[in-house]
Amino acid sequence: MCLPHLYLGWEMSWPRPSENGHLNQTVAQAVTDLFVDPSDLEGWVLDPTNPSLNLPYKVLFPSIASDVVAAVNFAKEHGLEISVKNSGHSYQGASSKKNTLLLNMNRYTHYAPTGITDCDASILGSTVTEDLSLSNQPCLLSLAKNKSSLIRVGGGENFDKVYRAVIAANEEEGYKYHVVGGAAGTVSPMGWTWQGGLPGTMGGRLYGLGVDQVVQLEMVLPNGVHVKFGPTEWEDASAEGFIVPRTKVVSGVCRSNPDEHDEEKWIWERCPEDFDIDFNDLYFAVRGGGGGTWGVVTSVFLQLHDYLPFSYYFPSPTEECSAIAPQFAEFKAKYMSAPSLLNVTKEHSLACGSPDSLGEIYCYGEEEVMQAWTRFLDMNNSTDPANVACLFSAAKAASLLNLPGVPGYAEFTICTNTNDRIPGKVPDSPAPLPVGNQVAG
């Protein structure tokens, strides 16, 4: 169980033991329990027999698509509700719902370590329909976006695995790839993406939201059919200000040998008409409709972008600098939303993003953060050198500490990760909180 808030592991986010879902307990009791004795709370939280636990009783760990197909067909036959877990970052607890058959995807095939594809521009001019398996669709769409690389991610992989796969490729080939994702390594593209995906730390203002990175999907639908689908016809929309083509048609295929374990032997064919699958609607619904809502995603092709130099800025944590925290928040708002007020170009503004109003600024490519900060202070008659120094760059911090510079956000979080339980990995953000001798994340 890994949830954004520990209480979400219990019915109504209320860990007090109850046999009937708290139907007989009052609002006054709920308010009182906010201030319950810590020892009582720990007893409720650590009791595996607590009837208020909102957790499934049966868990399956699919490792291949055929396992998912079999599980969905079993649930359909026996009238069981399914919940799907990738990383568990579900605010509503949908990834671990009580009285469901839980499909925990963590042991599913990992594609990311070998999943990067560099597209051959010579295929431009061909059509997706020439290849019934849609194998050329991801690269054709990517090239239409003036992008040349993709990464395939499995249904159980989180961003730590994706980021480390991209880092490994960059270190081997020279820095050339950038992937858009979440701030925490424990977050999964299989949940984050389908709820929109806010990439404040990974260049989202340059490249779009998580849903904008999707090029092709594989899913097992509620009817037990394994499908693959994505845009197959599009048109240039640059005259209307769009930087990517407008999708006109989404097409999909169905796997006709769902019991075959060897992916090399999978057979993709046109879906029978009686399956009545509207891939245009499905593509629209999945990209924003929530993880596990429309089926079980088994893999996805995500867009890769050209690598751009990374820079990172943060307000100094000193007591003196905390006094100008409101000014820093105002500065960030202007840099992001009204850059012309700081004589910052739109391009330099879009290069930067931030996940919140008071925290860090993450930039990719050319930017003007330090220059704009000085101008902002000058406009507010606050040009004391001490105030200027309150905005600190990661490059300056690395220099002072004799540390090497880091080429990207994921590398930065690995470098600064102090959690000895997950060395060399992209950590959670924020870090999990301890409860008794346990850790809740």
Side-chain angles (χ1 to χ4, degrees), residues 90-403:
S90 171
Y91 279 98
Q92 45 294 48
S95 61
S96 52
K97 187 179 178 184
K98 193 172 187 176
N99 297 326
T100 63
L101 178 63
L102 174 62
L103 303 189
N104 187 314
M105 298 293 287
N106 277 268
R107 298 178 191 172
Y108 194 79
T109 305
H110 289 180
Y111 295 112
T114 57
I116 292 179
T117 297
D118 290 318
C119 300
D120 183 353
S122 67
I123 69 171
L124 281 170
S126 59
T127 60
V128 176
T129 53
E130 291 174 0
D131 184 352
L132 189 59
S133 71
L134 301 186
S135 62
N136 66 352
Q137 180 270 338
C139 272
L140 283 172
L141 179 55
S142 181
L143 291 168
K145 297 179 179 181
N146 294 315
K147 307 290 180 179
S148 59
S149 302
L150 305 149
I151 185 169
R152 187 183 182 194
V153 181
E157 294 180 278
N158 59 19
F159 276 118
D160 167 64
K161 296 178 176 65
V162 176
Y163 291 154
R164 287 191 289 125
V166 173
I167 290 171
N170 278 336
E171 290 177 345
E172 181 178 339
E173 302 181 33
Y175 267 75
K176 57 187 287 189
Y177 304 115
H178 174 80
V179 62
V180 173
T186 55
V187 170
S188 169
M190 301 306 152
W192 177 87
T193 305
W194 315 131
Q195 297 188 91
L198 297 175
T201 58
M202 294 298 291
R205 299 181 69 231
L206 273 178
Y207 304 122
L209 302 177
V211 291
D212 298 315
Q213 314 309 314
V214 178
V215 178
Q216 186 188 88
L217 279 149
E218 271 185 36
M219 294 178 67
V220 176
L221 302 181
N223 61 2
V225 177
H226 187 194
V227 298
K228 174 163 57 172
F229 58 102
T232 52
E233 292 184 29
W234 47 80
E235 63 184 6
D236 179 39
S238 58
E240 300 172 46
F242 295 99
I243 61 174
V244 295
R246 177 189 289 111
T247 297
K248 295 178 64 179
V249 176
V250 177
S251 304
V253 290
C254 294
R255 186 151 72 95
S256 61
N257 58 341
D259 296 328
E260 175 58 58
H261 290 192
D262 185 353
E263 187 166 343
E264 295 294 325
K265 298 178 182 178
W266 287 359
I267 300 174
W268 297 100
E269 298 180 341
R270 288 187 176 86
C271 300
E273 288 188 11
D274 60 351
F275 283 4
D276 194 26
I277 303 171
D278 187 327
F279 285 109
N280 288 289
D281 282 355
L282 186 61
Y283 191 69
F284 177 83
V286 170
R287 296 175 311 120
T293 306
W294 308 101
V296 183
V297 177
T298 53
S299 78
V300 60
F301 275 97
L302 299 176
Q303 188 68 67
L304 291 179
H305 306 273
D306 291 339
Y307 171 80
L308 292 173
F310 168 72
S311 52
Y312 161 61
Y313 301 89
F314 56 96
S316 172
T318 63
E319 183 176 347
E320 294 79 9
C321 290
S322 64
I324 64 169
Q327 287 177 279
F328 180 66
E330 181 186 350
F331 163 72
K332 276 210 319 183
K334 287 183 176 178
Y335 191 96
M336 308 294 173
S337 303
S340 61
L341 297 178
L342 301 173
N343 293 324
V344 172
T345 66
K346 179 181 178 181
E347 291 73 21
H348 288 174
S349 171
L350 291 175
C352 301
S354 179
D356 57 51
S357 60
L358 294 176
E360 305 87 350
I361 300 174
Y362 303 89
C363 303
Y364 297 86
E366 295 185 8
E367 39 81 8
E368 300 179 64
V369 173
M370 287 304 301
Q371 302 93 315
W373 173 241
T374 302
R375 287 196 290 269
F376 171 81
L377 292 174
D378 185 53
M379 292 163 58
N380 287 274
N381 299 314
S382 301
T383 50
D384 186 319
N387 289 340
V388 175
C390 283
L391 183 59
F392 222 67
S393 72
K396 181 178 179 181
S399 176
L400 291 174
L401 298 173
N402 292 318
L403 295 173

Side-chain angles (χ1 to χ4, degrees), residues 6-7 10 15 36-47 434-438:
L6 180 64
Y7 279 16
W10 287 264
V36 69
D37 185 278
S39 61
D40 290 338
L41 175 61
E42 185 170 325
W44 299 344
V45 167
L46 301 182
D47 179 7
V435 178
N437 293 322
Q438 312 296 314

Side-chain angles (χ1 to χ4, degrees), residues 60 64-77 82 101 103 220 224 258-259:
L60 298 179
I64 56 176
S66 297
D67 294 342
V68 180
V69 171
V72 171
N73 284 331
F74 177 86
K76 182 175 62 171
E77 179 182 350
I82 285 178
L101 178 63
L103 303 189
V220 176
D259 296 328

Side-chain angles (χ1 to χ4, degrees), residues 42-66:
E42 185 170 325
W44 299 344
V45 167
L46 301 182
D47 179 7
T49 65
N50 186 338
S52 294
L53 272 172
N54 189 30
L55 297 175
Y57 296 117
K58 300 294 182 182
V59 182
L60 298 179
F61 290 86
S63 61
I64 56 176
S66 297

